[in-house]
Amino acid sequence: MWGHIVFLLLALRVSAFCPDCVDTDVVRLSNAADPCAGVVLVTINGFEGTVCDVSWDMRDTAVVCRQLGCGAPISAPGGSVFGAFRYKSHVMFSVGCRGDEPSLFQCPYTTRAQPYCNKKRDASVQCTGPDEVQLVNGPSLCAGSVEVGHHEIWGAVCDDAWDQKDASVVCRQLRCGAVQSYQYNSSFGISPLPVLMSDVQCQGDESALWKCAQRGWDVNTCPTGRNAGVTCTGGADTVRLVNSGDACSGRVEIKHENRWGTVCDSDWDLKDAEVVCRQLNCGSASRAQTVNDIFRNGVFPVWMSDVRCTGAEKSLFDCPRASWGVSSCPSRRDSGVQCRGSRVFDPTVFKAPLAVDPKTAGKRLVISSDGKEVTAPLVAAAPQRPDRHVTDGCVLGSTGVTAGRWYWQLSVALSGKHQATVSWELGVASASVERRFLRMGAAKGGAWAVKKTGAILNVEDETGKVHPIKKKTDNWGIFVDYEEGLVSFYGATNRQHIYTHTATFKEKIYPFICLGPGVRVTLK
């Protein structure tokens, strides 16, 4: 308290006795070996002090990183994690940056002391630094030849002395997990770029590759064709658009720490959409949307909120935002994007044969000898058997899947005089699903399906909400991407996308069919 009073008195004294003094507002970082990390120190009216961490977040950190030329924000630690300043008081409180300001002093803040701001509440930042790293020419963002950017110039890394420790730093820096293997002799192809780093000697615990010992930027002692490479175990943070059938349009979903999540539409605008479209190579953005009535809300947790891109960022993950998983959404409002480009997905590339397992069939069903046709006659024809499916009109596919992409086709035929009252369901189900959920079509119970009751066609999502489906077809396609957690339904005749479920699969899943009396399904 006395420190704040002294600060205010000194400020008044300067104002009174030095009317010609020029205000020199300055920001710097201290208490860390990394020049782009540490406690934030600010100078106001000639007096230096710390920033209280109450309300301090990634948007404030983004402004500091940008102002200091330190790249993008990594984290916004509080609680004086880099150590407290015993002889410096807080001089800035209640900072509330949007994230796109060029200077911390252009953000809303106050110099009036606030409750709870004690010596252990100094705000800090961690930035990526001015240099960049990426993996190219590999099968994913987490495997490939190592390239580094230095002062906006990109170049390769020589493989002389390249080892496990060097590779581990790259994997950690890119948030790609641990090292699976490291490569040399240009395993991913010879880079046409100049060599910027040679004789890299990491200890293995550095936060960035350029913090490792090396010969010096642009000092090239590397023979031709000796580019370093890395293959990491994990997946980097990625973004996708779902529930439209077009990879350039849909609900925005992001993968962070190998878990999918959504983006809250608070402050979501065309600048944010522009970054997503550019990141996905989908051209420019045409619309930024709330998805309730267009692409439908997702079921994953909200990973991002209060996103405030300038529109120039290379990736959505470079934009100022609230901290991971901190959502200010008043209700479920996910973001959507429509880009001017188009990449319509063709699921038939993954077409696989489909037959049903007679042992899992309900007592009412009649199964053909090849397992390719399932009929529910008006009068039950099959005798009761203990190995038959406990739900009368349901049957499982003969083969379950635990990995990969799969596409199955089937057609539905109805008895003419019963078309107004017939019912059926098509979809996939977890191996351990309670069989009653198959007839309910409940994704929350472990079954993802479309359902027809009379003239009404709908789908029930993972939250229990029912969505009517207006697109009608008798020829259906079911697509499953096990790793990405997608179950999509298509009109098989013209490959028209109808609906996509998102999920996290943890066990074997099977195609399933449930039929009411008077329905026949033929498997393709």
Side-chain angles (χ1 to χ4, degrees):
M1 181 66 182
W2 285 109
H4 300 310
I5 293 174
V6 171
F7 166 72
L8 293 174
L9 289 174
L10 288 172
L12 291 172
R13 183 179 179 184
V14 169
S15 177
F17 292 96
C18 189
D20 296 326
C21 289
V22 178
D23 291 343
T24 55
D25 295 339
V26 176
V27 174
R28 70 183 180 94
L29 303 179
S30 185
N31 278 26
D34 186 341
C36 287
V39 178
V40 181
L41 295 178
V42 295
T43 301
I44 301 177
N45 293 330
F47 296 97
E48 185 177 71
T50 55
V51 179
C52 179
D53 68 1
V54 174
S55 80
W56 188 258
D57 62 19
M58 289 290 285
R59 290 167 291 188
D60 310 315
T61 298
V63 173
V64 173
C65 293
R66 184 185 308 112
Q67 184 176 355
L68 296 178
C70 280
I74 297 175
S75 65
S80 301
V81 296
F82 291 103
F85 279 88
R86 182 178 178 184
Y87 300 107
K88 290 188 182 294
S89 300
H90 295 121
V91 297
M92 182 179 281
F93 306 85
S94 302
V95 180
C97 300
R98 295 189 310 273
D100 57 358
E101 295 89 348
S103 166
L104 187 64
F105 299 101
Q106 295 184 17
C107 301
Y109 70 90
T110 181
T111 57
R112 179 178 297 177
Q114 301 295 308
Y116 313 113
C117 287
N118 56 42
K119 285 293 184 180
K120 296 182 179 180
R121 299 301 300 266
D122 292 338
S124 304
V125 302
Q126 284 185 298
C127 312
T128 59
D131 300 316
E132 302 176 82
V133 65
Q134 64 182 6
L135 300 177
V136 301
N137 296 333
S140 73
L141 294 175
C142 291
S145 293
V146 183
E147 290 186 353
V148 290
H150 180 59
H151 296 312
E152 300 184 355
I153 297 175
W154 283 93
V157 176
C158 185
D159 68 0
D160 53 347
W162 188 253
D163 62 15
Q164 180 93 4
K165 293 180 180 179
D166 308 322
S168 68
V169 173
V170 173
C171 291
R172 184 186 313 111
Q173 185 176 354
L174 293 175
R175 291 178 289 185
C176 283
V179 178
Q180 180 173 313
S181 61
Y182 60 94
Q183 289 82 27
Y184 43 87
N185 290 334
S186 301
S187 296
F188 294 101
I190 298 176
S191 173
L193 300 177
V195 173
L196 292 185
M197 295 183 76
S198 299
D199 196 21
V200 178
Q201 302 273 352
C202 297
Q203 297 298 314
D205 57 357
E206 294 88 349
S207 60
L209 187 64
W210 41 86
K211 295 179 182 178
C212 302
Q214 57 146 326
R215 287 188 179 274
W217 293 106
D218 298 328
V219 178
N220 182 8
T221 60
C222 195
T224 303
R226 295 287 301 275
N227 302 140
V230 175
T231 300
C232 309
T233 59
D237 292 342
T238 56
V239 62
R240 69 183 182 187
L241 301 177
V242 301
N243 215 15
S244 74
D246 188 334
C248 293
S249 179
R251 180 177 66 245
V252 182
E253 292 189 347
I254 54 178
K255 180 184 279 188
H256 174 62
E257 296 179 346
N258 287 322
R259 293 177 57 205
W260 284 104
T262 59
V263 180
C264 179
D265 72 350
S266 57
D267 296 315
W268 188 256
D269 59 20
L270 200 60
K271 292 179 181 178
D272 309 315
E274 189 72 26
V275 174
V276 172
C277 292
R278 183 185 308 114
Q279 184 176 354
L280 295 175
N281 295 318
C282 286
S284 60
S286 60
R287 295 183 68 183
Q289 299 165 305
T290 300
V291 304
N292 298 54
D293 301 320
I294 304 169
F295 304 118
R296 299 192 176 94
N297 284 316
V299 298
F300 294 126
V302 176
W303 265 134
M304 277 189 180
S305 63
D306 299 325
V307 179
R308 295 178 182 273
C309 301
T310 64
E313 293 88 351
K314 295 180 180 179
S315 164
L316 186 64
F317 306 104
D318 296 334
C319 298
R321 52 174 171 77
S323 298
W324 286 110
V326 177
S327 173
S328 59
C329 277
S331 59
R332 191 68 198 229
R333 299 188 325 193
D334 294 331
S335 299
V337 169
Q338 284 186 317
C339 307
R340 299 188 187 280
S342 179
R343 293 203 310 273
V344 178
F345 178 67
D346 182 5
T348 61
V349 174
F350 305 97
K351 186 177 179 181
L354 176 62
V356 298
D357 181 0
K359 293 183 178 180
T360 66
K363 61 183 180 181
R364 184 194 309 126
L365 298 180
V366 176
I367 312 296
S368 65
S369 58
D370 61 0
K372 290 287 191 178
E373 186 172 279
V374 184
T375 305
L378 297 179
V379 178
Q384 179 68 51
R385 289 172 46 182
D387 57 354
R388 279 290 177 101
H389 205 287
V390 295
T391 304
D392 280 358
C394 296
V395 62
L396 298 180
S398 59
T399 304
V401 300
T402 55
R405 297 179 177 181
W406 303 79
Y407 179 74
W408 303 290
Q409 284 186 206
L410 56 167
S411 62
V412 181
L414 311 177
S415 175
K417 61 181 180 179
H418 293 281
Q419 289 191 18
T421 59
V422 296
S423 64
W424 52 260
E425 287 180 41
L426 309 172
V428 299
S430 299
S432 62
V433 67
E434 293 184 49
R435 299 311 183 192
R436 60 190 176 92
F437 281 117
L438 295 185
R439 291 297 294 168
M440 295 169 62
K444 61 184 178 182
W448 300 268
V450 290
K451 179 178 181 179
K452 182 177 176 65
T453 304
I456 300 174
L457 186 65
N458 59 45
V459 62
E460 182 178 337
D461 66 22
E462 292 82 347
T463 66
K465 186 176 181 179
V466 175
H467 303 281
I469 295 177
K470 297 180 180 180
K471 301 172 184 177
K472 303 296 175 66
T473 182
D474 291 327
N475 297 305
W476 288 85
I478 304 173
F479 171 75
V480 170
D481 187 328
Y482 193 95
E483 283 74 18
E484 296 299 323
L486 300 176
V487 179
S488 299
F489 297 92
Y490 289 84
T493 303
N494 56 8
R495 299 197 299 272
Q496 182 184 33
H497 176 266
I498 295 176
Y499 188 86
T500 293
H501 285 286
T502 52
T504 300
F505 301 128
K506 298 180 179 180
E507 58 181 303
K508 185 176 288 188
I509 57 176
Y510 290 85
F512 80 89
I513 301 167
C514 292
L515 305 181
V519 185
R520 182 180 72 255
V521 169
T522 303
L523 312 180
K524 303 298 180 65

